[in-house]
Amino acid sequence: MKLKATYTASDYENNVYAQWEESGYFNPDKFPKSKRVFTISMPPPNATGTLHLGHAMFLALQDLMIRYHRMKGDKTLWLPGTDHAAIATHSKVEQLLAQEGKTRQEIGREAFLQRIHEYVEHSRNTIRNQIRKMGASCDWSRERYTLDDGLSMAVSEMFVRMFNDGLIYRAQKIVNWCPHCLSTLSDVEVEHSQEKGSLFYIKYPVKETGEYITVATTRPETMLGDTAVAVHPADERYKKCIGGIAVQPMGNHEIPIIADEYVEREFGSGALKVTPAHDVNDFELGRKYHLTSLNILRENGSLDLSSLKNRPIDFESIADLDGMDRYKAREVIVERLKEKGLLEKIEEIDHTLATCYRCDTVIEPYISLQWFVAVDKKIEKYGASLKGLMHDTVLSKKTQIIPQRFEKIYFQWVDNLRDWCISRQIWFGHQLPVYYCLESGGGCGETIVSKEKPKVCNICKKSVLRQDEDTLDTWFSSGLWTFSTLGWPRNAKEKRGSIEKKGDLAQFHPTSVLETGYDILFFWVARMILMSRYALGEQPFDVVYLNGLVLDIHGKKMSKSREESIIDPLTVIEKYGTDALRLSLLVGISPGNDLRLSEEKIASYRNVVNKLWNITRFILEFGLEGEAPRKHQLTLADQWILSRLSQTIASVTNHIEGFRFSQAAEELRAFTCDELADWYLEIAKIEKGKQMVLAHVLEAVLSLWHPFTPFVTEIAYQALKKSRTEKKASPFLMVHAWPHADEKEIKEEVENEFATIQHIVGAIRSARSENTISPKQKIQAIFFTPTRADFMKAHEELLKYLARLDFVTIVEKGERPANAIYLKVEDIEIYLPLGLMKIEEERDRLSTELQKKQELLVSLQGRLADSTFTSKAPKHIIEREQKKVKDYEHSIQKIKEQLALLK
RNA sequence: GCGCGCUUAGCUCAGUUGGUUAGAGCAUACGGUUUACAUCCGUAGGGUCAGAGGUUCGAGUCCUCUAGCGCGCACCA
C-alpha cells in the first residue's frame, strides 16, 4: 500500500467505518470467551435536529473507553439509541406545521403523531450517519428508541408497579405551566434567571376605614384571582386592618385581610396579595386559611374570567379583559389603576424569572390535576424512599461520580427534591397507562391503572373506558434507559424478594460507565439511579463521568451563541478529519470543566494525526522484512526506545484506567513526536538493522493511539500488516490486543545514558543556534571526560550525526582549549573551537549561567543548612539535594575556569 | 440567600496522593530543501501559579479570608 505524503482523512474514513461495521466486531457477541464485561449506554441524542459538538465530545470520550476495553479483550457493549424527547420534538414539528399555516389541533392527534413519526424517522437517520462519521464503534444491532414496543412496555410496567406501590399518585397541585408548550413541566425543567423587573405597589381600599392598604406585586394581572391580602401579625402598620375587608379594585372584589408570619415585613410594602391559584406560596396560604382559589388564566396564558362571573363583583368593569394575553392585561390593568389613583409607585427590582428550559417562555404557576411520583414515601421492600435510594447509591459508592465535586451537588439536589410531576399535556410520548370508567357512559368514575386497556371496569363492569390523554415526562422513559434497552422487564424475574436477571440484562447490567454532560445530571443521571434502584435494586452504572460543555471562543454555549462562532462537526470533519476533531475534544480537557474550542485547535491536532501517518510511512519505506536482531545486537537507541515504549504503555494504560484521558493523550503525543519521531527515527536513518524494532514500536504506538484516533491508526495498521508476512496479525487494529508493558524492557541505566546523549546534542545545537551557525555547517567538537571516554567513543558516530559534527576528539586529560565555546553535560566537558565564535557573547552567556547556578547553589545550601529540613524531610529528598549541591559546585568551578580562558 | 467552579506564559488549557529550576499546544523571534512529514525540523524568549494570611522542613497543590468572572440550587410577593 502506497501512502500519500499528507494524510487526507476524507479519502479513507467512510470506507474504514463501513469495513468495521461489516466485520461485526462492534457486537460483543463476537467475543464469547471474554470474561470481563464493559458496557456503556449511549446517551440517546434527541430525535430532533443534527449532531453538534456536545455530541461529538461524548462520542469521542465514550468511543475512547469502548475501544480501549475492546482491545483489552473485554466483552464490550456500547448500546446506541435515540430519545423521542417529547416536548422538544413536539414543538419542533409544531413549528414545521406553523410554516404551513396549520396547528396540531386542526389536524388532530392521529395526523399530528403521524407527522412526528415521519419527522423522527428522517432525523434519526441523519443522526445515525453522523454518529458513524465520528467513528463510534457502537453495536447497531442493539439500537433502541424510547418509543420502541419493548421500551414502551417497560414504561407502562414501571408506571403500574410504582402506582401499585403507592409511589405514583394523582393530585390537584400548583404545577409549572408553560403557556407556549401548553404543558406542565417538572421542577428541573424550569430555569431560573435573574432579570430586571417592576414591582408594582397597588393600593387596595380597606372597607372599614376608607383608608388604603398597599400590596406589592410583580404580576398585577393575577390580582383578579386574589382572594385575600396578607400581612405579618406583628406588623404595627397593619395591625388594625387584620380581620377586615380589603377591596381588590379590579372589579371591586371584597377579600379578607389575614395575618401570617410567612409575610416578610421588609419586602415591598409588607402586605401581600394572596392568589392561591397562581402562586405556590399563596396556594399554601389558601389551604391554611380556607381561601377560594380563583383560576384566572387559560392554558395559553391569556386571562380567563369565567370563574369570576358569578361572584359578587362588578364583572362588567373587567369583562373586556377576558381572553387578553397576560402581558397585555398587565399593561391595561396598570393603566387603569393609574387612572384610579391606586398605583402608588413602580419600583425597579432584580428578581428571578422562571422560564421553560425548552422555549424560554415565562412559566406560570397553575393549579392543576396531575400525576406525581412520590419521592419521600417509604417503599416497604427497600425500607427507604426513592430519595433515600438515590442518596444511598452515591453515598455508598455503588456509583462513583467523576469529578467528585459533583457528588456534593448531587446530594444537595436529591435531598431537596420534591415530588416529580410526570404528566404532560402534549401528544407525543408514552400515553399514561391510566383508564377512567366514564360516568357519562354509565360507569362509576373509577380510575384504573393497567398495562393493557381493560375490557371492562373492574368495579362496575361497565365498558366505556377512556385512556388518560396525557403523556409521560420524557425523562421518565429516559430514566429506564440502562435496563429497558437490555430487555427489562422480560429479562428480570422476581424470586423470593430478589431479582433474577437473564440475557443481556444479566450480562451487561449494571453498566460500567455513564458518560454525559454535567448539565443533565439531574434530568437524566439522577432519574436513572432512581429507576434502576427501584426496579432492579441495583445501580444503573458503576461510574458517572461528567464532561464539560463545549463553548465557542467567546466562552458561550455553542447552542446559545451567534451563528458565526458555531463550529459544525461535519464541516470540520470534512476539513481536518474525524481523528483531529476527536483529539481536540479529548486533549487539554478535564472532566466537568467547559472547553473553549477553536478551529485552530482542531488544525493543530490534525498535524499530530498527520505526524502519525508520516511515522508509519517512514517506517514502512524501510521495508520490514529484516532479520530480527539478537538481544545483544540492540543498540543504545534501540534499548532506549523499547524502554520508553514500555514506560509509555504503562503510563497511558494507567491514565485511561483512571479516566485521565487528556493526560494519556499528552504522554502519548510526547512519546510519539518528541521521542520516537525526533530521536529514534532520526537515528534509524544512520543505524541499520532496525526493522524489527521499528515494526514492533509502530504496532504498539498505533495500538495506543487507536482509541483516540481510530481512523488513521486503522489505515496505518492495515498498511503495516501488508508489508509484513506475519501470520498472527489481527483482522483490524480495532480488535488488536492492547499493548503490554514489558517490565524487563524498562532500563533506567539505558535511559540515563541516552539522556546524556540527548543533553550533549541539545547543548551543542543550542550553542550553534546562539552563534548562528547554520545547521548545514559541520563543526568540530572536543570532549573532555576523565571517566566516560569509552561511552563517548561508543557513541561518536551518533553524536556526529545528531549534532552535525565533522570531527570529534575525545580526551581524558590534558589542557583545555582556549577561545572555545564551553559546555558541560554531567561530567563531560564540551569545547567547540570555532573561528566564528563571538567571544564577548560567549562570555556573557557563561556569566549568566554562572550567576544562575550560584543563586541556585545558595538556596540549596541554605535548605541543607536548616536542621529542621534535614531532620524532617525524607532521606531520598535530602540525598537528592546533596547531590545537586555537588553538581552545582563542580559546574561553577568549571565555568569560572572557562571564563578565565576566554581572556 | 445557600452551594460549586474558575483565576497558572500573549491565547487555550494541563498539572493523581504536597517534594528537581511549574508544563503542553497555539502564537512570537531567529536559523533551516538533513534519504517520513513545511500539516516539517532545530533553537530561543515569555510565568511574583488572582491577592493576603495560615499549616508544613517544603505549597500551584492543603486550610481561612478577600476580589473578579462563571454556574447550579432556592417559594420573598
Side-chain angles (χ1 to χ4, degrees):
Chain A
M1 195 193 282
K2 185 72 184 167
L3 304 182
K4 290 202 283 189
T6 50
Y7 174 64
T8 42
S10 52
D11 292 352
Y12 305 94
E13 289 180 350
N14 290 341
N15 189 26
V16 168
Y17 191 91
Q19 286 175 29
W20 284 334
E21 193 174 348
E22 207 173 301
S23 76
Y25 286 118
F26 291 171
N27 187 333
D29 299 339
K30 271 275 228 186
F31 307 84
K33 287 180 198 150
S34 304
K35 287 203 184 78
R36 287 167 314 201
V37 173
F38 185 83
T39 316
I40 296 180
S41 288
M42 186 189 291
N46 286 356
T48 58
T50 51
L51 203 74
H52 56 69
L53 280 173
H55 298 123
M57 178 176 232
F58 85 59
L59 289 167
L61 277 162
Q62 291 171 37
D63 195 44
L64 158 56
M65 290 186 249
I66 287 291
R67 285 181 186 270
Y68 165 71
H69 281 275
R70 189 185 292 119
M71 290 174 80
K72 245 180 64 179
D74 296 353
K75 188 162 194 171
T76 303
L77 170 63
W78 190 14
L79 192 147
T82 36
D83 190 295
H84 66 284
I87 292 179
T89 315
H90 201 269
S91 57
K92 181 88 195 172
V93 176
E94 276 193 304
Q95 272 172 33
L96 295 175
L97 270 183
Q99 286 169 13
E100 300 167 20
K102 295 182 201 155
T103 68
R104 68 174 158 117
Q105 287 78 9
E106 281 164 28
I107 67 170
R109 189 164 185 150
E110 287 288 307
F112 183 70
L113 288 178
Q114 187 53 39
R115 277 294 295 261
I116 289 192
H117 289 307
E118 284 163 19
Y119 170 79
V120 164
E121 200 42 54
H122 177 260
S123 60
R124 281 175 74 207
N125 265 327
T126 312
I127 291 162
R128 282 190 193 106
N129 288 328
Q130 292 180 343
I131 291 173
R132 287 183 168 92
K133 284 294 256 185
M134 281 301 294
S137 60
C138 48
D139 181 5
W140 292 106
S141 74
R142 283 178 167 85
E143 186 191 355
R144 293 290 183 272
Y145 175 47
T146 43
L147 288 181
D148 283 349
D149 287 347
L151 271 66
S152 300
M153 218 257 283
V155 167
S156 300
E157 174 78 28
M158 183 63 93
F159 188 98
V160 172
R161 281 198 198 183
M162 290 180 108
F163 179 80
N164 290 338
D165 279 348
L167 295 175
I168 285 180
Y169 65 93
R170 192 185 196 204
Q172 180 108 343
K173 287 210 215 183
I174 287 259
V175 293
N176 307 301
W177 182 265
C178 176
H180 179 260
C181 299
L182 299 180
S183 179
T184 54
L185 295 171
S186 66
D187 293 341
V188 269
E189 290 170 310
V190 176
E191 284 182 351
H192 302 271
S193 58
Q194 283 285 336
E195 305 281 344
K196 291 240 178 288
S198 302
L199 185 63
F200 301 90
Y201 287 71
I202 302 168
K203 297 198 278 189
Y204 284 19
V206 177
K207 195 178 179 188
E208 288 81 5
T209 63
E211 291 173 2
Y212 295 100
I213 185 164
T214 300
V215 299
T217 180
T218 52
R219 298 186 299 155
E221 68 279 10
T222 62
M223 68 192 287
L224 296 169
D226 287 357
T227 48
V229 166
V231 296
H232 193 277
D235 195 328
E236 291 301 331
R237 293 173 292 177
Y238 302 121
K239 245 183 177 165
K240 57 181 184 221
C241 306
I242 295 170
I245 298 289
V247 181
Q248 185 276 100
M250 298 302 294
N252 296 328
H253 190 190
E254 296 189 359
I255 55 181
I257 299 170
I258 60 172
D260 192 277
E261 295 191 341
Y262 161 75
V263 181
E264 292 279 342
R265 274 169 281 186
E266 290 73 31
F267 188 88
S269 62
L272 172 72
K273 62 190 247 346
V274 184
T275 321
H278 298 291
D279 185 278
V280 182
N281 302 305
D282 292 8
F283 180 74
E284 290 305 321
L285 283 175
R287 256 219 304 238
K288 196 163 163 186
Y289 296 98
H290 309 289
L291 302 172
T292 314
S293 287
L294 294 177
N295 188 339
I296 53 109
L297 284 173
R298 284 202 178 80
E299 294 176 342
N300 65 3
S302 64
L303 295 197
D304 174 4
L305 303 189
S306 53
S307 63
L308 299 178
K309 261 186 187 143
N310 299 318
R311 297 189 71 82
I313 62 166
D314 177 9
F315 187 78
E316 282 309 305
S317 67
I318 53 167
D320 60 322
L321 295 170
D322 197 14
M324 195 178 279
D325 177 75
R326 51 185 169 157
Y327 292 116
K328 178 69 185 164
R330 181 178 297 176
E331 282 174 33
V332 171
I333 288 171
V334 167
E335 203 46 49
R336 288 192 192 168
L337 289 169
K338 243 186 230 169
E339 283 166 14
K340 291 183 188 177
L342 296 174
L343 185 68
E344 191 176 297
K345 60 174 173 175
I346 302 174
E347 198 177 279
E348 292 305 306
I349 56 158
D350 289 320
H351 67 142
T352 41
L353 211 53
T355 55
C356 171
Y357 81 134
R358 286 295 178 198
C359 66
D360 286 337
T361 306
V362 175
I363 66 116
E364 286 294 337
Y366 195 73
I367 280 198
S368 184
L369 184 61
Q370 300 293 338
W371 290 88
F372 296 87
V373 169
V375 294
D376 287 307
K377 184 170 172 158
K378 189 170 165 184
I379 308 159
E380 279 311 313
K381 188 163 47 167
Y382 297 118
S385 64
L386 291 170
K387 193 186 269 186
L389 291 176
M390 290 165 87
H391 188 99
D392 167 75
T393 306
V394 173
L395 185 70
S396 64
K397 297 281 174 194
K398 289 181 179 69
T399 293
Q400 179 200 352
I401 302 180
I402 298 172
Q404 201 180 357
R405 63 187 155 87
F406 280 94
E407 293 186 355
K408 194 168 178 180
I409 297 171
Y410 174 86
F411 288 133
Q412 185 186 311
W413 184 80
V414 165
D415 297 343
N416 292 313
L417 192 59
R418 292 179 298 167
D419 284 358
W420 171 18
C421 176
I422 51 170
S423 46
R424 297 288 177 273
Q425 289 63 53
I426 57 169
W427 292 342
F428 183 50
H430 299 101
Q431 208 170 334
L432 269 60
V434 175
Y435 303 86
Y436 303 106
C437 176
L438 293 187
E439 286 170 9
S440 57
C444 63
E446 178 69 6
T447 298
I448 305 155
V449 173
S450 163
K451 279 186 277 179
E452 310 288 338
K453 182 172 183 174
K455 293 219 166 52
V456 294
C457 171
N458 49 13
I459 305 285
C460 68
K461 309 297 176 197
K462 293 277 171 29
S463 63
V464 185
L465 299 172
R466 186 177 55 82
Q467 186 170 7
D468 195 313
E469 292 201 345
D470 284 359
T471 50
L472 279 167
D473 182 0
T474 197
W475 300 102
F476 189 95
S477 53
S478 314
L480 317 182
W481 188 248
T482 60
F483 53 94
S484 63
T485 53
L486 294 174
W488 185 90
R490 179 170 34 84
N491 280 339
K493 292 278 172 291
E494 207 158 338
K495 278 188 183 171
R496 274 175 259 115
S498 72
I499 290 157
E500 198 171 280
K501 299 181 287 178
K502 60 177 189 181
D504 275 4
L505 190 64
Q507 274 200 84
F508 300 113
H509 206 272
T511 63
S512 312
V513 176
L514 186 276
E515 194 288 320
T516 192
Y518 65 76
D519 53 333
I520 53 173
L521 178 63
F522 307 140
F523 286 113
W524 193 43
V525 180
R527 262 72 184 268
M528 283 195 286
I529 292 175
L530 180 158
M531 292 294 190
S532 178
R533 283 301 299 276
Y534 171 69
L536 291 164
E538 67 187 22
Q539 70 279 17
F541 25 71
D542 302 329
V543 172
V544 175
Y545 180 102
L546 294 171
N547 62 257
L549 309 179
V550 185
L551 309 177
D552 68 11
I553 40 168
H554 308 296
K556 289 191 180 137
K557 271 192 184 180
M558 286 270 182
S559 57
K560 300 206 169 169
S561 73
R562 289 163 300 156
E563 283 293 324
E564 67 265 31
S565 59
I566 293 175
I567 296 175
D568 170 37
L570 293 180
T571 309
V572 291
I573 283 173
E574 194 54 38
K575 202 164 164 190
Y576 302 104
T578 299
D579 290 335
L581 174 61
R582 287 172 61 125
L583 279 183
S584 71
L585 295 167
L586 292 171
V587 191
I589 59 147
S590 48
N593 289 328
D594 297 343
L595 159 74
R596 288 190 193 198
L597 189 68
S598 61
E599 193 166 327
E600 289 73 39
K601 185 174 178 187
I602 303 169
S604 81
Y605 285 110
R606 183 266 319 266
N607 298 353
V608 174
V609 170
N610 188 59
K611 190 80 182 173
L612 217 44
W613 173 260
N614 271 292
I615 286 170
T616 307
R617 218 159 65 86
F618 175 74
I619 291 177
L620 294 189
E621 280 174 13
F622 257 76
L624 292 173
E625 293 307 316
E627 205 178 311
R630 295 202 194 91
K631 277 284 171 199
H632 67 267
Q633 289 175 322
L634 290 175
T635 65
L636 175 65
D638 295 334
Q639 294 182 61
W640 170 75
I641 200 70
L642 291 171
S643 179
R644 291 297 311 136
L645 175 66
S646 273
Q647 299 261 33
T648 304
I649 293 169
S651 174
V652 168
T653 306
N654 185 28
H655 283 316
I656 293 179
E657 292 282 345
F659 298 91
R660 297 179 297 273
F661 308 122
S662 178
Q663 282 186 68
E666 282 186 39
E667 287 197 22
L668 194 46
R669 191 205 54 75
F671 174 75
T672 309
C673 299
D674 304 343
E675 300 190 307
L676 177 60
D678 290 349
W679 289 94
Y680 189 69
L681 294 190
E682 288 307 315
I683 291 169
K685 289 173 185 172
I686 57 156
E687 286 184 1
K688 298 299 165 197
K690 297 218 173 307
Q691 287 87 341
M692 295 305 286
V693 179
L694 282 170
H696 170 73
V697 174
L698 177 62
E699 188 174 306
V701 165
L702 292 176
S703 302
L704 292 172
W705 275 108
H706 185 73
F708 299 89
T709 58
F711 287 108
V712 71
T713 50
E714 184 68 77
I715 298 154
Y717 177 76
Q718 294 301 332
L720 170 67
K721 219 167 68 166
K722 284 208 179 85
S723 17
R724 293 201 287 187
T725 51
E726 209 181 318
K727 307 280 188 300
K728 56 175 182 179
S730 311
F732 292 100
L733 185 58
M734 178 178 64
V735 289
H736 189 280
W738 185 252
H740 166 68
D742 188 349
E743 297 226 353
K744 291 197 296 294
E745 301 281 9
I746 299 174
K747 293 167 186 152
E748 201 183 341
E749 197 190 314
V750 165
E751 293 199 17
N752 287 339
E753 285 192 355
F754 196 82
T756 304
I757 304 280
Q758 286 178 306
H759 291 148
I760 293 170
V761 171
I764 296 174
R765 281 176 180 170
S766 176
R768 291 176 63 118
S769 185
E770 273 172 41
N771 288 281
T772 55
I773 299 160
S774 159
K776 64 188 159 187
Q777 184 179 354
K778 298 207 172 180
I779 58 171
Q780 63 168 302
I782 301 156
F783 297 100
F784 265 87
T785 170
T787 56
R788 306 186 71 182
D790 290 343
F791 171 76
M792 294 303 295
K793 278 182 188 133
H795 302 296
E796 193 179 323
E797 288 306 314
L798 205 53
L799 289 166
K800 272 176 152 175
Y801 169 68
L802 293 170
R804 318 272 317 146
L805 307 172
D806 57 358
F807 191 77
V808 166
T809 316
I810 298 161
V811 282
E812 290 174 65
K813 52 188 174 183
E815 289 235 346
R816 273 57 165 174
N819 297 333
I821 295 176
Y822 164 74
L823 307 164
K824 181 165 176 294
V825 171
E826 293 156 26
D827 57 351
I828 300 159
E829 294 165 36
I830 306 161
Y831 297 88
L832 307 176
L834 277 168
L836 298 168
M837 187 192 72
K838 296 157 195 147
I839 291 185
E840 278 309 311
E841 290 182 9
E842 176 65 2
R843 188 176 290 134
D844 288 348
R845 184 184 73 83
L846 286 175
S847 303
T848 311
E849 204 179 322
L850 180 65
Q851 199 190 339
K852 213 163 110 189
K853 290 232 157 91
Q854 278 171 331
E855 279 166 15
L856 286 168
L857 180 64
V858 168
S859 91
L860 269 178
Q861 283 169 331
R863 198 178 306 170
L864 281 166
D866 186 349
S867 62
T868 45
F869 173 71
T870 47
S871 63
K872 292 197 175 176
K875 206 175 161 192
H876 71 275
I877 298 285
I878 296 172
E879 280 170 4
R880 195 181 61 201
E881 305 294 77
Q882 282 167 341
K883 186 174 176 298
K884 266 158 44 182
V885 166
K886 269 189 192 165
D887 290 348
Y888 285 137
E889 280 171 348
H890 189 244
S891 292
I892 287 164
Q893 180 59 27
K894 295 310 293 183
I895 292 169
K896 280 182 181 165
E897 285 172 21
Q898 189 59 26
L899 273 170
L901 285 174
L902 280 177
K903 277 170 189 165

